Amino acid sequence: MVEFSPAVIDTIIRAAALLGAGFAMIAGIGPGIGQGYAAGKAVESVARDPEARGNIITTMLLGQAVAESTGIYSLVIAIVLIFTI
Amino acid sequence: MNPGPKILFYLFGKDFLPITDTLIVGWVSVIIILIGAKYLTTSLTIRPNGKQNVAEFIIEIIYKQIEPMLPGEGWRFLPFIATIFIYVGVGNLIGVVPGVTNPTGDLNTTLGLALVVFVVTQYEGMREYGVWGYIKSFAEPVIFLLPINIIGELAKPISHSFRLFGNIVGGGIIITLIYQAAPFLIPVPLHAWFGIFVGAIQALIFGMVAIAYISVAKS
């Protein structure tokens, strides 16, 4: 059984927290795909019906904002891991 | 480097009522809005000219967002929604000035606004269906969904506030990092993107999501 000094344990905890922050941001994939999909569909709709452009863009932005939530949660978790530990 | 509000001094002695920089910038933006509103609405006439056009333009943009989602009640909700739009908008755009922290980059500000929207949402739902009818609507379509519906309702102010907070703080962290690496000329387009574009879009979305929550509670 190896005994670690408190400084080493602190360093390990900090390293684990920073790694965890990096892993948390993997969640950024989800909003990326979701927002891109919404934007692509909006482009298709504007191409089909250019008159409804304003409504489509408003709806797209609202949907993208909701899709972004999960990414923002992971960002907040990453910030907490980096700056409080 | 530490994101979020910094405590500048304490009102009333040690450890009581801390005054943060975001709080002071929040007060400054309230004063800016008050002076701007007073300036834009002095000497109103039937035929608008100059500054009155600006005021009518702002109000019309906000009104056009409310009216399609809450039909017939645009004017009733306009003061509430316009307050959120204008305060969040000024709070986001004031961060373009270097060295000024956004008041919306503080979870206290955004959570406060989101809780106000939450209370208004519940009130409007009860006003539409009656208190008992509104509470019963959580147990639809089957009674098993009651806890899930309640958690979903309580998650709304959390996601609403964290979305604005995360966007503004994330942009602020990236700009701070770039300032440490390249302090001249390179941060300017980043300020344009994170300060003006993301700030304006997020203010629009914060208000639109508030309208959407109210309209969901009423339908």
Side-chain angles (χ1 to χ4, degrees), chain A residues 35 55 57-70 72-73 75-77 79-80 82-84, chain B residues 1-3 65 68-69 155 158-160 162-167 169-170 173 201-202 204-205 208-209 212:
Chain A
Q35 291 185 331
N55 276 334
I57 285 180
T58 316
T59 316
M60 180 193 81
L61 282 177
L62 196 61
Q64 286 185 331
V66 175
E68 203 181 33
S69 300
T70 51
I72 295 296
Y73 296 156
L75 174 69
V76 170
I77 289 171
I79 289 172
V80 168
I82 289 174
F83 288 107
T84 58
Chain B
M1 189 189 78
N2 194 13
Q65 307 297 327
M69 297 177 83
I158 297 173
S159 79
H160 199 188
F162 270 95
R163 185 177 303 129
L164 182 58
F165 166 75
N167 270 293
V169 166
I173 287 176
I201 290 278
Q202 288 303 319
L204 178 75
I205 282 170
M208 295 239 336
V209 170

